[in-house]
Amino acid sequence: MAVSPASRCIRWGICSAGHISNSFASALGSMPPMEHKAVAVAARDLSRAQDFAKLHKITNAYGSYEELAKDTNVDVIYIGTATHEHCRLTLLMLNHGKPVLCEKPLASNLREAQEMISLAKEKKLFLMEGFWTRFFPASYKLMDEISKGTIGEVKLIETIACRCYKGTVPEKFASLELSGGAVTMMGCYGIQYCSMIFGERPVKIAASGHLLDSGADGQTVVVLTYSNGRTGIVKAMINVSTPMNVTVYGTEGSMEIGPIQWCPVEVKTPTETFTFPVPDTATELKSPNKGGFHYQAEAVRQCLLKGELENSTMPHEHSLWNMEILDEVRRQLGVRFPADDKYSVDK
Amino acid sequence: MAVSPASRCIRWGICSAGHISNSFASALGSMPPMEHKAVAVAARDLSRAQDFAKLHKITNAYGSYEELAKDTNVDVIYIGTATHEHCRLTLLMLNHGKPVLCEKPLASNLREAQEMISLAKEKKLFLMEGFWTRFFPASYKLMDEISKGTIGEVKLIETIACRCYKGTVPEKFASLELSGGAVTMMGCYGIQYCSMIFGERPVKIAASGHLLDSGADGQTVVVLTYSNGRTGIVKAMINVSTPMNVTVYGTEGSMEIGPIQWCPVEVKTPTETFTFPVPDTATELKSPNKGGFHYQAEAVRQCLLKGELENSTMPHEHSLWNMEILDEVRRQLGVRFPADDKYSVDK
């Protein structure tokens, strides 16, 4: 379903009314209304969808995802549910002819991701994993400086993203049913940095960590060994607070991107610091840099206008690498999701 | 061979005339002469021993280690050779009734370390692995702040020590014959920090990395998983330059020790920075903070004066943990030393 070039406005349907969907809709609400418009929202609970619609000035609110899938007034779906629902809802939307931008990680496991990408190809519909990080100007700047050889040949990527939850761990981190855990929820960003910078699959994956009482991982370190003497280290923990940045070491120096790796606004090269403030958002947001959703939303719009089924900055292949790494990390940690034992026939 | 309390001066014999022995002898030369005195040095090459003796004002120079072992004028031996010789020379000295301070890592592998410690116990002689790091005031300060709960419960230790050797890698790093490699030569410091702070053996060891053409490791990351949700990360690489510090994360904040992890002079708590300048040395030294050898030399002297066979700051048990970790890391990396296939009968 390519958007007619005559209408350059992309009409978004929002799947789920949770925290991340709120951030995304808030960013959309501050973009040019002739280019982006949230026109529908669906949640399992109609009243939540209605509250969301009211806050973000969205016309249609649905109490089921199926209704949203059938809304012919929608050009593209944003899926902001918990991870365990990504596959089922993406398949639902694709099967109703809707292109999809699905939050990270793309799925609970590689098998689901493969199924989603296969269906998108079969239906000739756009599908992208929502790693908004890659579309921040700071990320492009980092990649540009790396290509220019500013730090020589990159040999080590250090990513750290740990926050200390004292007392109760949020359900999305603690729940196997929601396909949660520290590496899936936070480590995925570090993993995608390694995929982005090294541009290949690792040759070896070594992980170790600690599990929460729920069986999900709460403290995980992943060592990704790549060809040609290159290594990526991904740290994701919920029992300590650390910096949230990424440091890239090359043979001639190092660069840092941050201060928060998933929404970076600063790149420090050996000689300069470049800052890239994010755009404003329509509603006030608790989470930092949520205006950065502008970049990703516009990237999706450009793909839809050009009829592209895949985005070159966040291609399907990288999503598959990311999922393959997450699967192997969980295997080494002994973490299994209920989703791992479900097949599409159940969905 | 306990030192007579009447003579409180410790007479040192220096085994090898290389870089590290020079640093150690230089530190000794600036300590009170009524307490510490280097009285003999041995090297495989007599002229090197003689040059060394001249530089450090040492009376006796030998062209073989056996002669030093037999010198009855020596109270304790400092072994500063490459790692592959640590076991053979320690056994030699112990068999001649000499207490030994042996450079890190204590041996090429756990089996050798066990043999050395067994013989020291059997002969009732002092033996210590020369992790001078632990005797720096900064290390005591770090441990003190940790015990006081300054950062809550420690959950993560991050140690990094990488330096970029462009072109030729020094032989001690590249050579399997010398029991070299990045993790053995540099990573051992990070490993001993984990042993010191967590005070137990890890429950899991995961390592990955890259080997040099020589077969020794050139880029290694070790993840040490400890009981009770605690993790240590050790990075040792010779193809990038990184900070050289250690960061300790607790549930209530973090602390940093550095700037160079093996000779730390600064501890940063969440609220304060404490600095501990090292003493001067007798001769000018290229390597930083070599005056810090004062602390270790004096710790050895105190043990000898008290007739202690083991130092409580650097106990045998920790040396065995360190060696066990190094062995397992090398096993996972596929690094085998010629020393691994030798037994004491060959020594």
Side-chain angles (χ1 to χ4, degrees):
Chain A
M1 188 209 248
V3 175
S4 150
S7 157
R8 300 187 65 84
C9 180
I10 303 296
R11 296 165 302 171
W12 290 87
I14 311 291
C15 209
S16 115
H19 173 71
I20 194 77
S21 293
N22 260 297
S23 299
F24 186 74
S26 178
L28 283 184
S30 61
M31 295 182 79
M34 296 304 289
E35 295 180 353
H36 292 272
K37 194 167 168 55
V39 296
V41 58
R44 281 167 301 177
D45 175 346
L46 178 60
S47 70
R48 287 191 71 215
Q50 285 168 334
D51 289 348
F52 187 99
K54 196 172 169 188
L55 177 66
H56 296 291
K57 303 186 177 66
I58 294 172
T59 316
N60 291 318
Y62 301 114
S64 81
Y65 300 125
E66 286 69 19
E67 288 171 274
L68 177 61
K70 289 173 187 161
D71 186 336
T72 54
N73 201 38
V74 165
D75 295 317
V76 60
I77 300 289
Y78 169 79
I79 296 178
T81 63
T83 305
H84 72 300
E85 284 277 62
H86 287 180
C87 180
R88 182 179 77 85
L89 295 177
T90 296
L91 298 182
L92 173 71
M93 298 304 164
L94 291 172
N95 277 323
H96 282 82
K98 300 281 191 296
V100 171
L101 167 64
C102 178
E103 264 304 329
K104 42 57 56 183
L106 186 59
S108 296
N109 52 46
L110 178 62
R111 179 185 49 72
E112 285 189 352
Q114 285 167 332
E115 197 174 355
M116 294 154 78
I117 291 170
S118 290
L119 187 63
K121 285 188 196 299
E122 185 193 317
K123 298 277 182 185
K124 297 191 169 50
L125 288 167
F126 176 85
L127 172 63
M128 189 178 98
E129 183 175 18
F131 270 121
W132 65 322
T133 310
R134 291 202 176 182
F135 301 94
F136 278 70
S139 293
Y140 286 108
K141 179 67 179 171
L142 178 79
M143 292 306 286
D144 185 45
E145 293 291 335
I146 288 172
S147 324
K148 275 170 26 190
T150 303
I151 55 168
E153 206 183 329
V154 174
K155 292 295 185 185
L156 173 64
I157 302 171
E158 274 262 40
T159 89
I160 186 160
C162 308
R163 60 162 64 130
C164 194
Y165 289 107
K166 292 170 188 166
T168 316
V169 177
E171 197 190 3
K172 66 179 178 179
F173 282 101
S175 167
L176 290 177
E177 284 66 33
L178 300 184
S179 302
V183 73
T184 307
M185 295 302 294
M186 295 199 294
C188 65
Y189 286 104
I191 291 169
Q192 73 80 28
Y193 268 106
C194 295
S195 297
M196 176 174 81
I197 295 168
F198 288 144
E200 64 177 24
R201 295 167 66 225
V203 293
K204 189 181 163 190
I205 299 164
S208 189
H210 294 280
L211 305 190
L212 302 169
D213 291 341
S214 67
D217 69 302
Q219 197 192 42
T220 298
V221 183
V222 183
V223 185
L224 300 170
T225 303
Y226 289 85
S227 68
N228 198 22
R230 300 177 302 168
T231 298
I233 308 176
V234 175
K235 287 153 269 183
M237 305 184 180
I238 59 175
N239 62 355
V240 285
S241 290
T242 69
M244 295 284 206
N245 60 358
V246 173
T247 311
V248 184
Y249 294 98
T251 49
E252 307 298 329
S254 63
M255 282 196 287
E256 200 182 299
I257 183 165
I260 304 178
Q261 59 173 263
W262 42 81
C263 48
V265 293
E266 193 178 272
V267 172
K268 286 184 193 166
T269 72
T271 53
E272 276 177 281
T273 296
F274 300 91
T275 53
F276 307 89
V278 296
D280 289 336
T281 50
T283 52
E284 209 179 308
L285 292 168
K286 281 182 302 183
S287 303
N289 300 345
K290 284 296 187 287
F293 272 121
H294 278 222
Y295 309 125
Q296 179 177 252
E298 182 56 19
V300 171
R301 177 170 169 269
Q302 289 300 325
C303 284
L304 294 177
L305 291 176
K306 291 175 196 157
E308 291 171 356
L309 305 186
E310 192 175 346
N311 179 285
S312 60
T313 298
M314 186 60 235
H316 293 164
E317 188 179 35
H318 287 212
S319 294
L320 294 171
W321 295 343
N322 296 341
M323 292 312 309
E324 190 182 351
I325 293 167
L326 284 172
D327 277 14
E328 175 59 19
V329 169
R330 287 195 296 116
R331 192 192 66 75
Q332 291 185 24
L333 295 174
V335 173
R336 197 155 175 86
F337 294 147
D340 298 330
D341 301 314
K342 278 189 196 146
Y343 287 87
S344 55
V345 66
D346 300 316
K347 282 175 189 134
Chain B
M1 187 207 250
V3 176
S4 150
S7 156
R8 301 187 64 84
C9 181
I10 302 298
R11 298 165 300 171
W12 290 87
I14 311 290
C15 208
S16 115
H19 173 71
I20 194 78
S21 293
N22 260 297
S23 298
F24 186 76
S26 178
L28 284 182
S30 61
M31 296 182 78
M34 297 303 290
E35 296 179 354
H36 292 272
K37 194 167 168 56
V39 296
V41 59
R44 280 167 301 176
D45 174 347
L46 179 60
S47 70
R48 287 192 70 215
Q50 285 167 334
D51 289 348
F52 187 100
K54 194 171 170 190
L55 177 65
H56 297 289
K57 304 185 177 65
I58 294 172
T59 317
N60 291 317
Y62 301 115
S64 81
Y65 300 125
E66 286 68 20
E67 288 170 276
L68 176 61
K70 289 173 187 160
D71 185 336
T72 54
N73 201 38
V74 165
D75 295 317
V76 60
I77 300 289
Y78 169 79
I79 296 178
T81 63
T83 306
H84 72 301
E85 283 277 62
H86 287 180
C87 179
R88 182 179 78 85
L89 295 177
T90 296
L91 298 181
L92 174 71
M93 298 302 164
L94 292 172
N95 277 322
H96 283 82
K98 298 281 190 296
V100 171
L101 167 64
C102 178
E103 264 304 329
K104 44 56 55 183
L106 186 59
S108 295
N109 52 46
L110 178 63
R111 178 184 50 72
E112 285 189 353
Q114 285 167 335
E115 197 175 353
M116 293 154 79
I117 290 171
S118 290
L119 186 64
K121 285 188 196 298
E122 184 193 318
K123 299 275 183 187
K124 296 191 171 49
L125 288 167
F126 176 84
L127 172 62
M128 188 177 98
E129 183 175 18
F131 270 122
W132 65 322
T133 311
R134 291 202 177 183
F135 301 93
F136 278 70
S139 293
Y140 286 108
K141 178 68 180 171
L142 178 79
M143 292 307 284
D144 186 45
E145 293 290 335
I146 288 172
S147 323
K148 277 171 26 189
T150 303
I151 55 167
E153 206 183 327
V154 174
K155 293 294 184 186
L156 173 65
I157 302 171
E158 274 261 40
T159 88
I160 187 161
C162 307
R163 60 163 64 130
C164 194
Y165 289 107
K166 290 169 191 169
T168 316
V169 177
E171 196 189 4
K172 65 179 176 178
F173 283 101
S175 166
L176 290 177
E177 285 65 34
L178 300 184
S179 302
V183 74
T184 306
M185 296 302 294
M186 294 199 294
C188 65
Y189 286 105
I191 290 169
Q192 72 82 27
Y193 267 107
C194 295
S195 297
M196 176 174 82
I197 295 169
F198 288 143
E200 64 177 25
R201 295 168 67 225
V203 294
K204 189 180 164 192
I205 299 163
S208 189
H210 294 280
L211 306 189
L212 303 169
D213 291 342
S214 67
D217 68 302
Q219 196 192 44
T220 297
V221 184
V222 184
V223 185
L224 300 170
T225 303
Y226 290 84
S227 68
N228 199 22
R230 300 177 302 170
T231 298
I233 309 176
V234 176
K235 286 152 272 183
M237 306 183 179
I238 58 176
N239 61 355
V240 286
S241 289
T242 69
M244 295 284 206
N245 61 356
V246 173
T247 311
V248 184
Y249 294 98
T251 49
E252 308 296 329
S254 63
M255 282 196 287
E256 200 181 299
I257 185 164
I260 303 177
Q261 59 172 263
W262 42 79
C263 49
V265 293
E266 191 177 274
V267 173
K268 286 185 192 166
T269 72
T271 54
E272 275 176 283
T273 297
F274 300 92
T275 52
F276 307 90
V278 296
D280 288 337
T281 50
T283 50
E284 206 178 309
L285 291 167
K286 279 182 302 180
S287 302
N289 300 344
K290 283 298 187 286
F293 271 121
H294 279 221
Y295 309 124
Q296 178 177 253
E298 182 56 18
V300 170
R301 178 171 169 268
Q302 289 301 324
C303 284
L304 295 177
L305 290 176
K306 293 174 196 159
E308 290 171 357
L309 305 185
E310 190 175 348
N311 180 285
S312 59
T313 299
M314 187 61 234
H316 293 164
E317 189 178 36
H318 286 214
S319 293
L320 294 171
W321 295 343
N322 297 341
M323 292 313 308
E324 190 182 351
I325 293 167
L326 284 173
D327 277 15
E328 175 59 18
V329 169
R330 286 197 295 115
R331 193 192 64 76
Q332 291 184 24
L333 295 175
V335 173
R336 197 155 175 87
F337 294 147
D340 298 330
D341 302 313
K342 278 188 196 146
Y343 288 88
S344 54
V345 69
D346 301 316
K347 284 176 189 131

